[in-house]
C-alpha cells in the first residue's frame, strides 16, 4: 500500500510491500499441520526512522475429532 502525509513538514510518503505464503499437510487422519510466512518491507521518504522490514512465521495444527 501507499500512504501520503502531506501535512507533515517535510511531507512523508510510505510504500509498504508484503509477500505471504503458506501450506498445510495432513500428518494423521485426525491432525493437519500448517505453516505460514510473510515478509514486509516498508520504505519511507523520511530517512530510516520509518523504514523497516520484518519476517513472520506462524505454525498451526487442526485436530479433527468425533464426539
Amino acid at each position: 500500500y501507499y500512504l501520503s502525509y502531506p501535512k507533515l513538514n517535510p511531507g512523508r510518503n510510505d510504500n509498504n510491500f508484503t509477500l505471504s505464503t503458506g501450506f498445510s499437510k495432513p500428518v494423521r487422519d485426525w491432525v493437519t499441520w500448517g505453516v505460514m510466512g510473510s515478509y514486509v518491507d516498508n520504505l519511507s521518504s523520511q530517512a530510516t526512522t520509518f523504514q523497516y522490514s520484518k519476517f513472520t512465521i506462524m505454525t498451526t495444527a487442526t485436530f479433527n475429532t468425533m464426539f
Side-chain angles (χ1 to χ4, degrees):
Y1 57 84
Y2 173 79
L3 294 174
S4 179
Y5 304 90
K7 293 184 179 181
L8 291 178
N9 188 11
R12 177 176 142 206
N13 296 310
D14 289 1
N15 288 300
N16 186 290
F17 302 95
T18 303
L19 176 64
S20 300
T21 190
F23 72 91
S24 62
K25 179 180 179 177
V27 179
R28 300 274 192 267
D29 291 345
W30 51 273
V31 64
T32 301
W33 175 77
V35 65
M36 292 165 271
S38 69
Y39 171 74
V40 177
D41 191 20
N42 191 76
L43 303 172
S44 180
S45 62
Q46 281 194 7
T48 58
T49 306
F50 299 102
Q51 294 183 15
Y52 64 89
S53 58
K54 69 177 178 177
F55 291 95
T56 304
I57 296 176
M58 181 173 70
T59 187
T60 61
T62 304
F63 300 93
N64 299 316
T65 59
M66 298 290 282
F67 288 105

Short mmCIF file of all heavy atoms in Angstrom, two decimals:
data_model
loop_
_atom_site.label_atom_id
_atom_site.label_comp_id
_atom_site.label_asym_id
_atom_site.label_seq_id
_atom_site.Cartn_x
_atom_site.Cartn_y
_atom_site.Cartn_z
N TYR A 1 0.83 -1.17 0.00
CA TYR A 1 0.00 0.00 0.00
C TYR A 1 0.88 1.24 0.00
O TYR A 1 2.09 1.17 0.23
CB TYR A 1 -0.97 0.00 1.17
CG TYR A 1 -0.33 -0.09 2.54
CD1 TYR A 1 0.14 1.03 3.19
CD2 TYR A 1 -0.23 -1.32 3.19
CE1 TYR A 1 0.70 0.95 4.43
CE2 TYR A 1 0.32 -1.42 4.44
CZ TYR A 1 0.80 -0.28 5.07
OH TYR A 1 1.37 -0.36 6.31
N TYR A 2 0.29 2.36 -0.26
CA TYR A 2 0.98 3.64 -0.32
C TYR A 2 0.29 4.61 0.62
O TYR A 2 -0.94 4.74 0.58
CB TYR A 2 0.94 4.17 -1.76
CG TYR A 2 1.48 5.56 -1.92
CD1 TYR A 2 2.84 5.79 -1.96
CD2 TYR A 2 0.63 6.65 -2.01
CE1 TYR A 2 3.35 7.06 -2.11
CE2 TYR A 2 1.11 7.93 -2.16
CZ TYR A 2 2.48 8.14 -2.21
OH TYR A 2 2.98 9.40 -2.35
N LEU A 3 1.05 5.26 1.47
CA LEU A 3 0.50 6.27 2.37
C LEU A 3 1.19 7.60 2.12
O LEU A 3 2.40 7.66 1.93
CB LEU A 3 0.71 5.87 3.83
CG LEU A 3 -0.02 4.63 4.32
CD1 LEU A 3 0.42 4.28 5.74
CD2 LEU A 3 -1.51 4.88 4.30
N SER A 4 0.41 8.68 2.18
CA SER A 4 0.95 10.02 1.99
C SER A 4 0.55 10.89 3.17
O SER A 4 -0.61 10.86 3.60
CB SER A 4 0.40 10.62 0.69
OG SER A 4 0.92 11.92 0.52
N TYR A 5 1.51 11.62 3.71
CA TYR A 5 1.28 12.53 4.84
C TYR A 5 1.66 13.94 4.40
O TYR A 5 2.71 14.47 4.78
CB TYR A 5 2.11 12.12 6.05
CG TYR A 5 1.89 10.69 6.51
CD1 TYR A 5 2.64 9.64 6.00
CD2 TYR A 5 0.92 10.40 7.46
CE1 TYR A 5 2.43 8.34 6.42
CE2 TYR A 5 0.70 9.11 7.89
CZ TYR A 5 1.46 8.09 7.36
OH TYR A 5 1.25 6.80 7.78
N PRO A 6 0.82 14.60 3.59
CA PRO A 6 1.19 15.89 3.02
C PRO A 6 1.22 17.04 4.04
O PRO A 6 1.89 18.04 3.81
CB PRO A 6 0.11 16.14 1.96
CG PRO A 6 -1.07 15.36 2.43
CD PRO A 6 -0.50 14.16 3.14
N LYS A 7 0.55 16.90 5.17
CA LYS A 7 0.51 17.99 6.16
C LYS A 7 1.75 18.02 7.05
O LYS A 7 1.96 18.97 7.77
CB LYS A 7 -0.75 17.90 7.01
CG LYS A 7 -2.01 18.17 6.22
CD LYS A 7 -3.23 18.17 7.09
CE LYS A 7 -4.47 18.46 6.25
NZ LYS A 7 -5.69 18.49 7.07
N LEU A 8 2.56 16.96 7.01
CA LEU A 8 3.80 16.96 7.77
C LEU A 8 4.80 17.89 7.10
O LEU A 8 4.77 18.11 5.90
CB LEU A 8 4.40 15.55 7.84
CG LEU A 8 3.64 14.53 8.68
CD1 LEU A 8 4.35 13.18 8.59
CD2 LEU A 8 3.57 14.97 10.13
N ASN A 9 5.71 18.43 7.90
CA ASN A 9 6.74 19.30 7.36
C ASN A 9 8.09 18.72 7.70
O ASN A 9 8.47 18.75 8.87
CB ASN A 9 6.61 20.71 7.91
CG ASN A 9 7.55 21.67 7.21
OD1 ASN A 9 8.15 21.34 6.20
ND2 ASN A 9 7.66 22.86 7.77
N PRO A 10 8.86 18.14 6.82
CA PRO A 10 8.53 17.96 5.41
C PRO A 10 7.53 16.83 5.22
O PRO A 10 7.36 15.99 6.11
CB PRO A 10 9.87 17.59 4.78
CG PRO A 10 10.62 16.92 5.87
CD PRO A 10 10.17 17.59 7.15
N GLY A 11 6.89 16.79 4.06
CA GLY A 11 5.91 15.74 3.76
C GLY A 11 6.54 14.36 3.82
O GLY A 11 7.76 14.21 3.71
N ARG A 12 5.72 13.36 3.99
CA ARG A 12 6.22 11.99 4.10
C ARG A 12 5.37 11.07 3.23
O ARG A 12 4.15 11.19 3.20
CB ARG A 12 6.16 11.53 5.56
CG ARG A 12 6.59 10.10 5.76
CD ARG A 12 6.57 9.77 7.25
NE ARG A 12 6.09 8.42 7.44
CZ ARG A 12 5.50 7.98 8.53
NH1 ARG A 12 5.29 8.79 9.54
NH2 ARG A 12 5.10 6.73 8.62
N ASN A 13 6.03 10.13 2.55
CA ASN A 13 5.37 9.11 1.74
C ASN A 13 5.94 7.75 2.13
O ASN A 13 7.16 7.59 2.23
CB ASN A 13 5.60 9.34 0.25
CG ASN A 13 4.98 10.64 -0.21
OD1 ASN A 13 3.82 10.90 0.07
ND2 ASN A 13 5.74 11.45 -0.90
N ASP A 14 5.07 6.79 2.36
CA ASP A 14 5.49 5.44 2.71
C ASP A 14 4.95 4.46 1.66
O ASP A 14 3.82 4.58 1.21
CB ASP A 14 4.93 5.01 4.07
CG ASP A 14 5.60 5.72 5.24
OD1 ASP A 14 6.47 6.57 5.00
OD2 ASP A 14 5.23 5.43 6.39
N ASN A 15 5.78 3.50 1.29
CA ASN A 15 5.39 2.40 0.42
C ASN A 15 5.59 1.12 1.20
O ASN A 15 6.69 0.88 1.73
CB ASN A 15 6.24 2.36 -0.84
CG ASN A 15 5.91 3.49 -1.79
OD1 ASN A 15 4.80 3.59 -2.24
ND2 ASN A 15 6.88 4.33 -2.05
N ASN A 16 4.57 0.29 1.28
CA ASN A 16 4.65 -0.95 2.04
C ASN A 16 4.34 -2.11 1.10
O ASN A 16 3.32 -2.11 0.43
CB ASN A 16 3.66 -0.92 3.20
CG ASN A 16 3.80 -2.11 4.11
OD1 ASN A 16 3.46 -3.22 3.72
ND2 ASN A 16 4.29 -1.87 5.31
N PHE A 17 5.24 -3.09 1.09
CA PHE A 17 5.07 -4.29 0.27
C PHE A 17 5.06 -5.50 1.17
O PHE A 17 5.86 -5.61 2.09
CB PHE A 17 6.22 -4.42 -0.74
CG PHE A 17 6.36 -3.24 -1.64
CD1 PHE A 17 7.24 -2.21 -1.34
CD2 PHE A 17 5.59 -3.14 -2.79
CE1 PHE A 17 7.36 -1.12 -2.17
CE2 PHE A 17 5.71 -2.05 -3.62
CZ PHE A 17 6.60 -1.03 -3.32
N THR A 18 4.15 -6.44 0.91
CA THR A 18 4.06 -7.67 1.70
C THR A 18 4.00 -8.87 0.77
O THR A 18 3.29 -8.86 -0.23
CB THR A 18 2.79 -7.65 2.58
OG1 THR A 18 2.81 -6.50 3.42
CG2 THR A 18 2.71 -8.90 3.44
N LEU A 19 4.77 -9.90 1.13
CA LEU A 19 4.77 -11.16 0.41
C LEU A 19 4.43 -12.25 1.42
O LEU A 19 5.11 -12.36 2.44
CB LEU A 19 6.13 -11.42 -0.23
CG LEU A 19 6.31 -12.76 -0.94
CD1 LEU A 19 5.37 -12.84 -2.14
CD2 LEU A 19 7.75 -12.94 -1.36
N SER A 20 3.38 -13.03 1.14
CA SER A 20 2.94 -14.07 2.07
C SER A 20 2.79 -15.40 1.34
O SER A 20 2.44 -15.44 0.16
CB SER A 20 1.58 -13.71 2.68
OG SER A 20 1.66 -12.51 3.39
N THR A 21 3.03 -16.48 2.08
CA THR A 21 2.82 -17.82 1.55
C THR A 21 2.55 -18.78 2.69
O THR A 21 2.80 -18.45 3.85
CB THR A 21 4.03 -18.29 0.72
OG1 THR A 21 3.69 -19.49 0.04
CG2 THR A 21 5.25 -18.52 1.59
N GLY A 22 2.03 -19.94 2.37
CA GLY A 22 1.76 -20.93 3.40
C GLY A 22 1.36 -22.26 2.79
O GLY A 22 1.09 -22.35 1.59
N PHE A 23 1.39 -23.28 3.61
CA PHE A 23 0.92 -24.59 3.16
C PHE A 23 0.46 -25.40 4.37
O PHE A 23 0.77 -25.08 5.51
CB PHE A 23 2.01 -25.35 2.38
CG PHE A 23 3.14 -25.86 3.22
CD1 PHE A 23 3.10 -27.13 3.77
CD2 PHE A 23 4.25 -25.08 3.45
CE1 PHE A 23 4.14 -27.60 4.55
CE2 PHE A 23 5.31 -25.55 4.23
CZ PHE A 23 5.25 -26.82 4.78
N SER A 24 -0.30 -26.44 4.09
CA SER A 24 -0.74 -27.36 5.14
C SER A 24 -0.58 -28.79 4.64
O SER A 24 -0.62 -29.03 3.43
CB SER A 24 -2.19 -27.08 5.56
OG SER A 24 -3.05 -27.29 4.47
N LYS A 25 -0.40 -29.69 5.60
CA LYS A 25 -0.18 -31.09 5.25
C LYS A 25 -0.84 -31.98 6.29
O LYS A 25 -0.61 -31.81 7.49
CB LYS A 25 1.32 -31.38 5.20
CG LYS A 25 1.61 -32.83 4.87
CD LYS A 25 3.09 -33.09 4.82
CE LYS A 25 3.28 -34.57 4.51
NZ LYS A 25 4.66 -34.92 4.37
N PRO A 26 -1.64 -32.95 5.84
CA PRO A 26 -2.19 -33.91 6.81
C PRO A 26 -1.06 -34.77 7.38
O PRO A 26 -0.23 -35.29 6.65
CB PRO A 26 -3.14 -34.78 5.97
CG PRO A 26 -3.38 -34.01 4.72
CD PRO A 26 -2.17 -33.16 4.50
N VAL A 27 -1.02 -34.87 8.70
CA VAL A 27 0.00 -35.68 9.37
C VAL A 27 -0.58 -37.04 9.75
O VAL A 27 0.09 -38.07 9.62
CB VAL A 27 0.53 -34.94 10.63
CG1 VAL A 27 1.56 -35.78 11.35
CG2 VAL A 27 1.11 -33.59 10.24
N ARG A 28 -1.79 -37.04 10.19
CA ARG A 28 -2.56 -38.26 10.51
C ARG A 28 -3.99 -38.03 10.02
O ARG A 28 -4.32 -36.95 9.54
CB ARG A 28 -2.59 -38.50 12.03
CG ARG A 28 -1.23 -38.69 12.67
CD ARG A 28 -0.84 -40.16 12.58
NE ARG A 28 0.30 -40.48 13.41
CZ ARG A 28 1.55 -40.46 12.99
NH1 ARG A 28 1.83 -40.12 11.76
NH2 ARG A 28 2.54 -40.78 13.80
N ASP A 29 -4.84 -39.02 10.17
CA ASP A 29 -6.25 -38.85 9.79
C ASP A 29 -6.93 -37.74 10.60
O ASP A 29 -7.87 -37.12 10.12
CB ASP A 29 -7.03 -40.16 10.01
CG ASP A 29 -6.61 -41.23 9.02
OD1 ASP A 29 -5.96 -40.89 8.02
OD2 ASP A 29 -6.95 -42.40 9.27
N TRP A 30 -6.44 -37.50 11.78
CA TRP A 30 -7.10 -36.59 12.70
C TRP A 30 -6.36 -35.27 12.94
O TRP A 30 -6.81 -34.42 13.68
CB TRP A 30 -7.34 -37.29 14.04
CG TRP A 30 -6.08 -37.94 14.60
CD1 TRP A 30 -5.61 -39.18 14.32
CD2 TRP A 30 -5.17 -37.35 15.50
NE1 TRP A 30 -4.43 -39.40 14.98
CE2 TRP A 30 -4.14 -38.29 15.74
CE3 TRP A 30 -5.10 -36.12 16.15
CZ2 TRP A 30 -3.06 -38.05 16.57
CZ3 TRP A 30 -4.02 -35.87 16.99
CH2 TRP A 30 -3.02 -36.84 17.19
N VAL A 31 -5.20 -35.07 12.31
CA VAL A 31 -4.47 -33.81 12.52
C VAL A 31 -3.84 -33.32 11.20
O VAL A 31 -3.32 -34.10 10.41
CB VAL A 31 -3.38 -33.95 13.61
CG1 VAL A 31 -2.30 -34.93 13.21
CG2 VAL A 31 -2.77 -32.60 13.97
N THR A 32 -3.95 -32.02 10.98
CA THR A 32 -3.32 -31.36 9.84
C THR A 32 -2.41 -30.27 10.37
O THR A 32 -2.80 -29.48 11.23
CB THR A 32 -4.38 -30.72 8.92
OG1 THR A 32 -5.27 -31.75 8.46
CG2 THR A 32 -3.75 -30.04 7.73
N TRP A 33 -1.18 -30.26 9.88
CA TRP A 33 -0.19 -29.28 10.31
C TRP A 33 -0.01 -28.24 9.21
O TRP A 33 -0.06 -28.56 8.02
CB TRP A 33 1.13 -29.98 10.59
CG TRP A 33 2.25 -29.06 10.92
CD1 TRP A 33 2.47 -28.42 12.10
CD2 TRP A 33 3.31 -28.65 10.06
NE1 TRP A 33 3.59 -27.64 12.03
CE2 TRP A 33 4.14 -27.77 10.78
CE3 TRP A 33 3.64 -28.95 8.74
CZ2 TRP A 33 5.26 -27.18 10.23
CZ3 TRP A 33 4.77 -28.35 8.20
CH2 TRP A 33 5.56 -27.49 8.94
N GLY A 34 0.20 -27.00 9.59
CA GLY A 34 0.39 -25.95 8.60
C GLY A 34 1.45 -24.95 9.05
O GLY A 34 1.75 -24.83 10.24
N VAL A 35 2.00 -24.25 8.08
CA VAL A 35 2.96 -23.18 8.37
C VAL A 35 2.70 -22.05 7.37
O VAL A 35 2.36 -22.29 6.22
CB VAL A 35 4.43 -23.68 8.31
CG1 VAL A 35 4.81 -24.11 6.92
CG2 VAL A 35 5.38 -22.63 8.84
N MET A 36 2.82 -20.83 7.87
CA MET A 36 2.63 -19.64 7.05
C MET A 36 3.78 -18.68 7.32
O MET A 36 4.29 -18.62 8.44
CB MET A 36 1.31 -18.96 7.38
CG MET A 36 0.09 -19.76 6.97
SD MET A 36 -1.41 -19.17 7.75
CE MET A 36 -1.36 -20.15 9.25
N GLY A 37 4.17 -17.95 6.31
CA GLY A 37 5.24 -16.98 6.46
C GLY A 37 4.96 -15.74 5.66
O GLY A 37 4.26 -15.78 4.64
N SER A 38 5.50 -14.62 6.13
CA SER A 38 5.36 -13.37 5.38
C SER A 38 6.59 -12.50 5.58
O SER A 38 7.30 -12.61 6.57
CB SER A 38 4.10 -12.61 5.80
OG SER A 38 4.23 -12.11 7.11
N TYR A 39 6.82 -11.65 4.60
CA TYR A 39 7.89 -10.68 4.63
C TYR A 39 7.27 -9.32 4.33
O TYR A 39 6.50 -9.18 3.37
CB TYR A 39 8.97 -11.00 3.60
CG TYR A 39 9.99 -9.91 3.44
CD1 TYR A 39 10.97 -9.71 4.41
CD2 TYR A 39 9.97 -9.06 2.34
CE1 TYR A 39 11.90 -8.71 4.28
CE2 TYR A 39 10.91 -8.05 2.20
CZ TYR A 39 11.87 -7.88 3.18
OH TYR A 39 12.79 -6.87 3.05
N VAL A 40 7.59 -8.32 5.14
CA VAL A 40 7.06 -6.96 4.96
C VAL A 40 8.24 -6.01 4.81
O VAL A 40 9.21 -6.09 5.57
CB VAL A 40 6.20 -6.53 6.17
CG1 VAL A 40 5.74 -5.09 6.01
CG2 VAL A 40 5.03 -7.45 6.36
N ASP A 41 8.16 -5.12 3.84
CA ASP A 41 9.18 -4.10 3.62
C ASP A 41 8.48 -2.75 3.53
O ASP A 41 7.65 -2.55 2.65
CB ASP A 41 9.96 -4.40 2.34
CG ASP A 41 11.20 -3.53 2.20
OD1 ASP A 41 11.66 -2.98 3.22
OD2 ASP A 41 11.70 -3.41 1.07
N ASN A 42 8.78 -1.86 4.46
CA ASN A 42 8.17 -0.53 4.48
C ASN A 42 9.26 0.50 4.15
O ASN A 42 10.24 0.61 4.88
CB ASN A 42 7.56 -0.22 5.84
CG ASN A 42 6.70 1.03 5.79
OD1 ASN A 42 5.60 0.98 5.30
ND2 ASN A 42 7.21 2.13 6.30
N LEU A 43 9.09 1.20 3.04
CA LEU A 43 10.03 2.24 2.64
C LEU A 43 9.39 3.60 2.90
O LEU A 43 8.21 3.79 2.65
CB LEU A 43 10.35 2.11 1.15
CG LEU A 43 10.93 0.77 0.72
CD1 LEU A 43 11.01 0.69 -0.79
CD2 LEU A 43 12.29 0.56 1.35
N SER A 44 10.19 4.54 3.42
CA SER A 44 9.67 5.85 3.75
C SER A 44 10.57 6.93 3.17
O SER A 44 11.78 6.74 3.06
CB SER A 44 9.58 6.02 5.27
OG SER A 44 9.07 7.30 5.60
N SER A 45 9.98 8.07 2.82
CA SER A 45 10.75 9.18 2.31
C SER A 45 11.48 9.94 3.42
O SER A 45 12.31 10.78 3.14
CB SER A 45 9.84 10.14 1.52
OG SER A 45 8.85 10.68 2.38
N GLN A 46 11.17 9.64 4.68
CA GLN A 46 11.83 10.30 5.81
C GLN A 46 12.86 9.37 6.43
O GLN A 46 12.56 8.58 7.33
CB GLN A 46 10.83 10.75 6.86
CG GLN A 46 10.13 12.02 6.50
CD GLN A 46 9.40 12.62 7.68
OE1 GLN A 46 9.52 12.16 8.80
NE2 GLN A 46 8.63 13.64 7.42
N ALA A 47 14.07 9.46 5.94
CA ALA A 47 15.24 8.75 6.48
C ALA A 47 14.91 7.32 6.88
O ALA A 47 14.06 6.67 6.30
CB ALA A 47 15.81 9.54 7.63
N THR A 48 15.61 6.82 7.86
CA THR A 48 15.40 5.44 8.30
C THR A 48 14.45 5.36 9.48
O THR A 48 14.15 4.27 9.95
CB THR A 48 16.74 4.81 8.69
OG1 THR A 48 17.33 5.60 9.72
CG2 THR A 48 17.67 4.72 7.49
N THR A 49 13.97 6.47 9.97
CA THR A 49 13.08 6.47 11.14
C THR A 49 11.83 5.62 10.92
O THR A 49 11.40 4.91 11.80
CB THR A 49 12.65 7.91 11.49
OG1 THR A 49 13.81 8.70 11.65
CG2 THR A 49 11.83 7.95 12.75
N PHE A 50 11.26 5.68 9.72
CA PHE A 50 10.02 4.98 9.43
C PHE A 50 10.22 3.81 8.46
O PHE A 50 9.26 3.28 7.93
CB PHE A 50 8.97 5.94 8.89
CG PHE A 50 8.63 7.05 9.85
CD1 PHE A 50 9.16 8.31 9.68
CD2 PHE A 50 7.82 6.80 10.93
CE1 PHE A 50 8.85 9.33 10.57
CE2 PHE A 50 7.51 7.80 11.83
CZ PHE A 50 8.03 9.07 11.64
N GLN A 51 11.46 3.43 8.21
CA GLN A 51 11.74 2.31 7.32
C GLN A 51 11.97 1.05 8.14
O GLN A 51 12.65 1.10 9.17
CB GLN A 51 12.96 2.59 6.46
CG GLN A 51 12.74 3.71 5.48
CD GLN A 51 13.94 3.94 4.59
OE1 GLN A 51 14.82 3.12 4.50
NE2 GLN A 51 13.95 5.07 3.91
N TYR A 52 11.39 -0.05 7.71
CA TYR A 52 11.61 -1.31 8.40
C TYR A 52 11.29 -2.47 7.48
O TYR A 52 10.63 -2.32 6.47
CB TYR A 52 10.76 -1.41 9.67
CG TYR A 52 9.27 -1.43 9.41
CD1 TYR A 52 8.60 -2.63 9.18
CD2 TYR A 52 8.53 -0.25 9.38
CE1 TYR A 52 7.24 -2.65 8.93
CE2 TYR A 52 7.17 -0.27 9.13
CZ TYR A 52 6.53 -1.47 8.91
OH TYR A 52 5.19 -1.50 8.65
N SER A 53 11.79 -3.64 7.86
CA SER A 53 11.41 -4.88 7.21
C SER A 53 11.30 -5.93 8.30
O SER A 53 12.00 -5.86 9.32
CB SER A 53 12.41 -5.30 6.13
OG SER A 53 13.69 -5.43 6.68
N LYS A 54 10.40 -6.90 8.11
CA LYS A 54 10.22 -7.94 9.12
C LYS A 54 9.77 -9.24 8.49
O LYS A 54 9.13 -9.25 7.44
CB LYS A 54 9.24 -7.50 10.21
CG LYS A 54 7.80 -7.39 9.76
CD LYS A 54 6.89 -7.01 10.92
CE LYS A 54 5.45 -6.87 10.45
NZ LYS A 54 4.56 -6.58 11.55
N PHE A 55 10.14 -10.32 9.14
CA PHE A 55 9.71 -11.66 8.77
C PHE A 55 8.77 -12.17 9.86
O PHE A 55 9.01 -11.93 11.04
CB PHE A 55 10.91 -12.61 8.69
CG PHE A 55 11.82 -12.33 7.54
CD1 PHE A 55 12.95 -11.55 7.72
CD2 PHE A 55 11.55 -12.84 6.28
CE1 PHE A 55 13.81 -11.29 6.67
CE2 PHE A 55 12.41 -12.59 5.23
CZ PHE A 55 13.53 -11.81 5.42
N THR A 56 7.74 -12.89 9.45
CA THR A 56 6.82 -13.51 10.41
C THR A 56 6.60 -14.96 9.98
O THR A 56 6.36 -15.23 8.80
CB THR A 56 5.46 -12.78 10.43
OG1 THR A 56 5.67 -11.41 10.73
CG2 THR A 56 4.53 -13.39 11.47
N ILE A 57 6.70 -15.87 10.94
CA ILE A 57 6.42 -17.28 10.68
C ILE A 57 5.43 -17.76 11.74
O ILE A 57 5.59 -17.46 12.92
CB ILE A 57 7.71 -18.14 10.74
CG1 ILE A 57 8.65 -17.71 9.62
CG2 ILE A 57 7.38 -19.61 10.62
CD1 ILE A 57 9.98 -18.41 9.64
N MET A 58 4.40 -18.47 11.28
CA MET A 58 3.38 -18.98 12.19
C MET A 58 3.10 -20.43 11.82
O MET A 58 3.04 -20.78 10.64
CB MET A 58 2.10 -18.16 12.07
CG MET A 58 1.00 -18.62 13.00
SD MET A 58 -0.44 -17.54 13.01
CE MET A 58 -1.12 -17.82 11.40
N THR A 59 2.93 -21.26 12.83
CA THR A 59 2.58 -22.65 12.58
C THR A 59 1.21 -22.94 13.20
O THR A 59 0.83 -22.31 14.18
CB THR A 59 3.66 -23.60 13.14
OG1 THR A 59 3.36 -24.93 12.75
CG2 THR A 59 3.80 -23.50 14.62
N THR A 60 0.48 -23.86 12.57
CA THR A 60 -0.86 -24.18 13.04
C THR A 60 -1.05 -25.71 13.08
O THR A 60 -0.33 -26.44 12.41
CB THR A 60 -1.94 -23.60 12.12
OG1 THR A 60 -1.79 -24.15 10.81
CG2 THR A 60 -1.85 -22.09 12.05
N ALA A 61 -2.01 -26.11 13.84
CA ALA A 61 -2.42 -27.53 13.85
C ALA A 61 -3.94 -27.57 13.95
O ALA A 61 -4.53 -26.83 14.74
CB ALA A 61 -1.80 -28.28 15.02
N THR A 62 -4.56 -28.37 13.14
CA THR A 62 -6.01 -28.56 13.15
C THR A 62 -6.30 -30.01 13.51
O THR A 62 -5.73 -30.92 12.91
CB THR A 62 -6.61 -28.25 11.77
OG1 THR A 62 -6.24 -26.94 11.39
CG2 THR A 62 -8.12 -28.37 11.79
N PHE A 63 -7.15 -30.17 14.51
CA PHE A 63 -7.48 -31.52 15.00
C PHE A 63 -8.93 -31.84 14.67
O PHE A 63 -9.83 -31.05 14.95
CB PHE A 63 -7.27 -31.60 16.52
CG PHE A 63 -5.86 -31.31 16.92
CD1 PHE A 63 -5.46 -30.04 17.27
CD2 PHE A 63 -4.91 -32.32 16.93
CE1 PHE A 63 -4.17 -29.76 17.63
CE2 PHE A 63 -3.60 -32.07 17.29
CZ PHE A 63 -3.22 -30.78 17.66
N ASN A 64 -9.15 -32.99 14.07
CA ASN A 64 -10.50 -33.45 13.75
C ASN A 64 -10.85 -34.58 14.72
O ASN A 64 -10.19 -35.61 14.74
CB ASN A 64 -10.56 -33.99 12.31
CG ASN A 64 -10.21 -32.91 11.30
OD1 ASN A 64 -10.67 -31.80 11.43
ND2 ASN A 64 -9.40 -33.25 10.32
N THR A 65 -11.87 -34.37 15.50
CA THR A 65 -12.30 -35.38 16.46
C THR A 65 -13.77 -35.67 16.27
O THR A 65 -14.54 -34.85 15.78
CB THR A 65 -12.07 -34.92 17.90
OG1 THR A 65 -12.79 -33.73 18.13
CG2 THR A 65 -10.60 -34.68 18.17
N MET A 66 -14.19 -36.84 16.67
CA MET A 66 -15.60 -37.23 16.60
C MET A 66 -16.11 -37.36 18.03
O MET A 66 -15.66 -38.22 18.78
CB MET A 66 -15.75 -38.57 15.87
CG MET A 66 -15.26 -38.54 14.44
SD MET A 66 -16.31 -37.57 13.36
CE MET A 66 -17.63 -38.71 13.12
N PHE A 67 -17.03 -36.49 18.42
CA PHE A 67 -17.62 -36.54 19.75
C PHE A 67 -19.09 -36.84 19.64
O PHE A 67 -19.79 -36.42 18.81
CB PHE A 67 -17.43 -35.26 20.54
CG PHE A 67 -16.02 -35.07 20.99
CD1 PHE A 67 -15.20 -34.15 20.37
CD2 PHE A 67 -15.51 -35.82 22.03
CE1 PHE A 67 -13.91 -33.97 20.79
CE2 PHE A 67 -14.23 -35.63 22.47
CZ PHE A 67 -13.42 -34.71 21.84
#
